[in-house]
């Protein structure tokens, strides 16, 4: 009987892993170019640099992005010549990272809830892994899915460390915590929460000082090492270009922290923090709030009432609560003065850590009786938050709202006065439905509900991706230019240098086109030029020029010939210096 149960569990897990990969394929971009241009091109550009490609000129217009995710993209540039294939390869890496997250969540729930029926446990992990956020992000060359996986892996490793705080397990845990910060600077929340918890565990004598020291020193050494490498990468690619001075670097972080020294800064932080917690709670139908309630109750029973022991399960809950609060705080800190509407209710910088929270809370819901008082209190709390969020939204003059930044709230976003209140009521009804079904004794109903709920999220997420069409025309027309460049190189059998011309030093002129063309032809040497510098840069042979049609390139003066054009871009071939040596 035991062998039969294990076999059944493995079969279900394998099937769900296959489903996760198949669902990821649905999310892939149809054209295969970056859509979130700065973010994606930053990660891809780092990987191209590690692979030995000279993207410095094009990449220097993009702010610095951490290179942790780029390490895993680098082999793609070694294996494939096509930028589109590389882009799809990034999505495949993302899909397997979701599989890794799903398996890690299975281990976590198996350790914390060994009594839950295996198929139900696996279904809960599936629901925590495949949601609107991960489904949308898996199709982009972004670090989000890898962050999600790393967070799940850290909690799984933390449970292993609690059972056996050996030297090896201490180093692995510290290394993973350090690595997640290498993936994204906003994961600093995990680093801060981890060090706080390790110090607390040492204080209450749950681990030895030696084990605590090894974990902390591994984290610190990892942070020092990655910072040193970051400076080398920045110097190699940007060479001090001022475009790197932004929120993606610590110079931007320090500037934001100093804002908290003013009353205005503190007030904005409070509104921003409330908005971020509101967004993550409503987006995940009040499940994070239930998790917070369970954690606070455990803390109260352990440290105030002293009627419960501080076991591994309780420590894990406290760890996740600390990370959730720190993640919301850091997200709020970076949105003190939001530039878009979606920045107010931005969930992207919190959702990377939400997987274990959702999985654990859903597992708890299988044991919790539905209480009307809980539903009422939850609803009142979030309805009281609505005026704060509404006020924070009203402070933003820019009406732009990027839905993928906060998928659930973005899917239904409206300027209607009742929008926030409606979202709270819908979310609380879903929480009520989820509570009743998960507490039901019939496991079949629970599994059916989970898969229907996941399907609904995927459907909405797919619609959001379909609406994200800002760069579709640009990508299609740039794709055509890339094809023409490739044809020209193959036909003439020459090693052309491609000059990407923009009318002036304006940041966005040719910015998107340049990034798309470079990604399409990763091995091709390209360089940004301006009208003022074109006469100097065009000297020599074998030059192709790509220009925005607004540049009004004078063919006779530059002695070049237009060989292809579309609505946005034109491709020119430089014919060399005139016979008299003049231009």
């Amino acid at each position: 009987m035991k062998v039969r149960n294990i076999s059944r569990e493995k079969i279900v897990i394998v099937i769900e892993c296959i489903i996760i990969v198949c669902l990821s394929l649905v999310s892939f971009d149809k054209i295969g170019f970056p859509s979130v241009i700065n973010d994606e091109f930053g990660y891809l550009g780092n990987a191209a640099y590690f692979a030995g490609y000279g993207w410095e000129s094009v990449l220097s217009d993009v702010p610095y992005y951490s290179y942790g995710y780029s390490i895993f993209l680098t082999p793609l540039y070694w294996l494939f010549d096509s930028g589109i294939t590389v882009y799809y390869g990034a999505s495949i890496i993302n899909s397997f990272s979701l599989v890794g997250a799903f398996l890690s969540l299975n281990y976590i729930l198996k350790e914390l809830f060994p009594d839950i029926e295996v198929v139900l446990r696996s279904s809960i992990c599936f629901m925590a892994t495949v949601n609107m956020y991960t489904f949308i992000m898996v199709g982009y060359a972004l670090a989000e899915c890898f962050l999600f996986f790393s967070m799940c892996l850290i909690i799984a490793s933390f449970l292993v460390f609690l059972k056996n705080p050996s030297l090896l397990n201490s180093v692995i845990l510290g290394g993973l915590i350090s690595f997640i910060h290498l993936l994204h600077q906003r994961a600093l929340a995990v680093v801060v929460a981890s060090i706080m918890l390790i110090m607390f565990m040492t204080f209450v004598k749950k681990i030895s000082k030696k084990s605590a020291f090894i974990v902390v020193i591994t984290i610190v050494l990892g942070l020092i090492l990655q910072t040193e490498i970051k400076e080398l990468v920045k110097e190699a690619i940007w060479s001090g270009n001022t475009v790197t001075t932004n929120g993606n670097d610590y110079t931007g972080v320090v500037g934001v922290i100093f804002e908290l020294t003013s009353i205005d800064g503190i007030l904005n932080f409070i509104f921003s923090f409330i908005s971020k917690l509101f967004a993550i709670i409503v987006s995940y139908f009040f499940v994070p709030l239930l998790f917070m309630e369970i954690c606070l109750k455990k803390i109260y029973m352990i440290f105030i009432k002293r009627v419960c022991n501080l076991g591994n399960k309780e420590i894990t809950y406290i760890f996740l609560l600390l990370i959730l609060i720190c993640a919301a705080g850091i997200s709020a800190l970076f949105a003190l003065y939001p530039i878009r509407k979606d920045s107010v209710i931005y969930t992207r910088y919190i959702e990377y850590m939400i997987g274990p929270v959702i999985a654990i809370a859903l597992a708890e819901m299988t044991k919790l009786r539905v209480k009307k008082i809980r539903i009422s209190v939850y609803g009142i709390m979030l309805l009281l938050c609505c005026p704060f969020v509404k006020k924070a939204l009203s402070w933003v003059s820019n009406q732009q709202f990027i839905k993928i930044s906060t998928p659930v709230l973005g899917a239904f976003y409206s300027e209607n006065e009742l929008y926030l209140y409606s979202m709270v009521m819908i979310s609380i009804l879903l929480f009520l439905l989820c509570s009743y079904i998960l507490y039901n004794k019939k496991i079949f109903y629970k599994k059916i509900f989970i898969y229907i709920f996941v399907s609904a999220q995927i459907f909405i997420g797919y619609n959001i991706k379909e609406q994200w069409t800002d760069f579709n025309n640009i990508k299609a027309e740039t794709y055509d230019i890339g094809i023409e460049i490739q044809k020209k190189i193959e036909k003439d059998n020459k090693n052309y240098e491609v000059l990407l011309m923009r009318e002036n030093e304006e940041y966005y002129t040719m910015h998107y086109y340049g990034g798309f063309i470079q990604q399409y032809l990763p091995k091709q040497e390209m360089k940004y030029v301006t009208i003022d510098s074109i006469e100097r840069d065009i000297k020599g042979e074998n030059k192709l020029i790509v220009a925005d049609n607004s540049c009004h390139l004078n063919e006779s003066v530059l002695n070049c010939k237009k060989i292809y054009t579309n609505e946005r871009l034109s491709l020119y071939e430089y014919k060399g210096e005139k016979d008299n040596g003049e231009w």
Side-chain angles (χ1 to χ4, degrees):
M1 186 69 180
K2 184 177 180 182
V3 174
R4 182 182 171 187
N5 284 339
I6 293 174
S7 176
R8 182 178 173 226
E9 178 184 6
K10 288 181 178 179
I11 290 171
V12 171
I13 288 175
V14 168
I15 291 172
E16 289 177 326
C17 286
I18 294 172
I19 293 173
I20 289 171
V21 174
C22 291
L23 289 174
S24 300
L25 296 174
V26 179
S27 181
F28 286 8
D29 188 286
K30 293 181 177 62
I31 298 178
F33 279 116
S35 291
V36 190
I37 180 65
N38 275 351
D39 304 56
E40 291 186 276
F41 194 62
Y43 294 125
L44 292 164
N46 288 338
Y49 167 72
F50 293 146
Y53 296 159
W55 287 22
E56 287 83 358
S57 178
V58 179
L59 195 60
S60 63
D61 264 3
V62 178
Y64 168 78
Y65 283 84
S66 192
Y67 58 88
Y69 178 55
S70 305
I71 293 171
F72 296 90
L73 300 181
T74 301
L76 297 173
Y77 285 103
W78 291 332
L79 294 171
F80 307 110
D81 293 336
S82 168
I84 291 179
T85 306
V86 169
Y87 193 78
Y88 286 145
S91 297
I92 291 170
I93 289 173
N94 291 345
S95 67
F96 281 109
S97 68
L98 287 186
V99 171
F102 169 71
L103 296 175
S104 300
L105 288 175
N106 263 283
Y107 174 80
I108 292 167
L109 287 199
K110 192 172 183 178
E111 290 293 312
L112 299 179
F113 301 92
D115 56 328
I116 292 184
E117 195 266 339
V118 292
V119 178
L120 176 60
R121 183 176 69 227
S122 181
S123 299
I124 288 172
C125 294
F126 183 80
M127 185 176 181
T129 303
V130 183
N131 53 56
M132 206 180 299
Y133 162 74
T134 56
F135 173 76
I136 289 174
M137 293 302 175
V138 74
Y140 295 124
L142 294 170
E144 313 306 310
C145 292
F146 225 93
L147 276 165
F148 190 84
F149 169 43
S150 298
M151 187 66 242
C152 296
L153 197 58
I154 284 172
I155 301 302
S157 299
F158 182 69
L159 287 168
V160 173
F161 170 76
L162 288 176
K163 291 197 297 182
N164 179 22
S166 63
L167 173 62
L168 178 61
N169 290 337
S170 301
V171 171
I172 290 174
L173 178 61
L176 287 171
I177 292 168
S178 174
F179 176 74
I180 197 172
H181 177 265
L182 182 59
L183 288 172
H184 203 296
Q185 185 175 286
R186 282 12 176 232
L188 181 64
V190 181
V191 176
V192 173
S194 300
I195 293 175
M196 289 171 60
L197 187 73
I198 292 297
M199 293 173 62
F200 166 74
M201 289 169 62
T202 307
F203 178 75
V204 297
K205 298 182 179 179
K206 295 298 295 185
I207 58 171
S208 66
K209 292 181 180 178
K210 178 183 176 182
S211 297
F213 176 78
I214 294 170
V215 174
V216 173
I217 199 66
T218 303
I219 295 172
V220 172
L221 289 175
L223 293 176
I224 293 172
L225 178 63
Q226 62 187 246
T227 301
E228 291 298 317
I229 296 174
K230 179 180 80 172
E231 293 305 316
L232 294 175
V233 172
K234 286 172 60 179
E235 181 62 28
I237 297 175
W238 290 278
S239 300
N241 193 320
T242 54
V243 77
T244 62
T245 306
N246 58 55
N248 293 341
D249 206 348
Y250 285 114
T251 52
V253 177
V254 173
V256 171
I257 291 175
F258 274 117
E259 292 290 342
L260 295 181
T261 57
S262 66
I263 298 297
D264 187 49
I266 294 171
L267 186 64
N268 282 352
F269 176 77
I270 292 171
F271 274 80
S272 182
F273 185 73
I274 291 173
S275 299
K276 300 300 180 294
L277 281 181
F278 172 90
I280 200 70
I281 289 169
V282 174
S283 293
Y284 288 88
F285 48 97
F286 283 77
V287 172
L289 186 56
L290 174 67
F291 176 79
M292 294 169 70
E293 180 199 339
I294 292 169
C295 290
L296 292 174
K297 280 185 176 179
K298 287 183 179 293
I299 292 171
Y300 177 76
M301 297 302 288
I302 293 169
F303 298 106
I304 307 299
K305 287 289 188 179
R306 298 185 182 275
V307 294
C308 295
N309 294 324
L310 183 63
N312 291 352
K313 186 174 184 177
E314 288 71 25
I315 293 174
T316 304
Y317 281 35
I318 294 171
F319 186 26
L320 280 169
L321 179 64
L322 280 173
I323 296 173
L324 178 58
I325 293 171
C326 289
I330 288 176
S331 182
L333 196 60
F334 279 88
L336 286 183
Y337 304 101
I339 58 174
R340 302 187 311 263
K341 289 285 187 181
D342 62 276
S343 301
V344 175
I345 47 179
Y346 201 90
T347 56
R348 183 180 158 203
Y349 291 154
I350 307 174
E351 287 182 285
Y352 72 89
M353 60 77 51
I354 207 68
V357 170
I358 298 300
I360 290 171
L362 291 175
E364 289 281 4
M365 287 170 73
T366 63
K367 304 172 182 296
L368 289 175
R369 187 182 297 276
V370 181
K371 293 182 178 179
K372 293 180 181 179
I373 185 66
R374 173 180 289 126
I375 304 296
S376 302
V377 171
Y378 283 5
I380 292 169
M381 286 174 61
L382 269 293
L383 287 173
L384 289 174
C385 288
C386 287
F388 290 91
V389 181
K390 187 178 175 183
K391 186 66 177 176
L393 285 167
S394 71
W395 289 340
V396 184
S397 57
N398 184 357
Q399 298 300 310
Q400 185 183 15
F401 194 104
I402 298 178
K403 293 184 177 182
I404 63 169
S405 299
T406 176
V408 177
L409 293 178
F412 305 98
Y413 179 72
S414 169
E415 292 291 335
N416 191 293
E417 291 286 323
L418 298 177
Y419 160 69
L420 294 173
Y421 300 95
S422 301
M423 290 303 300
V424 170
M425 297 311 297
I426 293 171
S427 187
I428 200 73
L429 288 173
L430 286 172
F431 176 74
L432 182 61
L433 177 63
C434 188
S435 299
Y436 271 114
I437 292 177
L438 289 180
Y439 187 70
N440 192 294
K441 292 182 179 180
K442 294 184 178 180
I443 294 178
F444 175 76
Y445 292 154
K446 300 178 184 182
K447 290 184 284 190
I448 291 296
F449 168 76
I450 286 172
Y451 287 106
I452 290 175
F453 196 85
V454 169
S455 300
Q457 291 202 72
I458 290 172
F459 176 76
I460 298 171
Y462 184 79
N463 284 333
I464 290 176
K465 283 186 71 73
E466 286 294 291
Q467 294 169 25
W468 179 246
T469 58
D470 289 29
F471 300 112
N472 280 3
N473 291 334
I474 296 176
K475 286 194 287 186
E477 289 160 359
T478 308
Y479 179 80
D480 292 339
I481 289 288
I483 290 174
E484 293 301 319
I485 294 173
Q486 195 171 33
K487 285 180 181 178
K488 182 67 177 173
I489 292 171
E490 292 172 355
K491 178 184 176 182
D492 297 348
N493 194 25
K494 292 181 180 179
N495 185 25
Y496 284 101
E497 180 185 15
V498 179
L499 303 179
L500 305 168
M501 200 181 83
R502 45 192 178 185
E503 193 168 359
N504 48 48
E505 294 292 347
E506 166 63 31
Y507 176 67
Y508 283 105
T509 307
M510 272 300 293
H511 172 55
Y512 294 121
Y513 308 128
F516 290 145
I517 296 170
Q518 183 70 86
Q519 173 58 28
Y520 178 73
L521 300 169
K523 291 187 176 182
Q524 184 63 45
E525 183 181 355
M526 299 188 187
K527 180 181 179 181
Y528 275 135
V529 296
T530 65
I531 286 181
D532 295 334
S533 70
I534 186 69
E535 293 187 11
R536 180 183 68 249
D537 293 314
I538 205 171
K539 290 181 179 179
E541 297 181 346
N542 303 332
K543 306 280 187 180
L544 295 176
I545 305 169
V546 179
D548 188 302
N549 290 338
S550 65
C551 286
H552 306 297
L553 191 66
N554 192 321
E555 297 177 46
S556 61
V557 171
L558 291 176
N559 195 27
C560 58
K561 176 185 177 183
K562 184 184 293 186
I563 57 178
Y564 177 80
T565 187
N566 57 37
E567 290 185 8
R568 294 176 187 268
L569 301 169
S570 294
L571 178 64
Y572 301 83
E573 179 185 6
Y574 174 59
K575 295 187 290 185
E577 292 189 26
K578 295 182 179 180
D579 293 338
N580 60 3
E582 297 178 356
W583 294 97

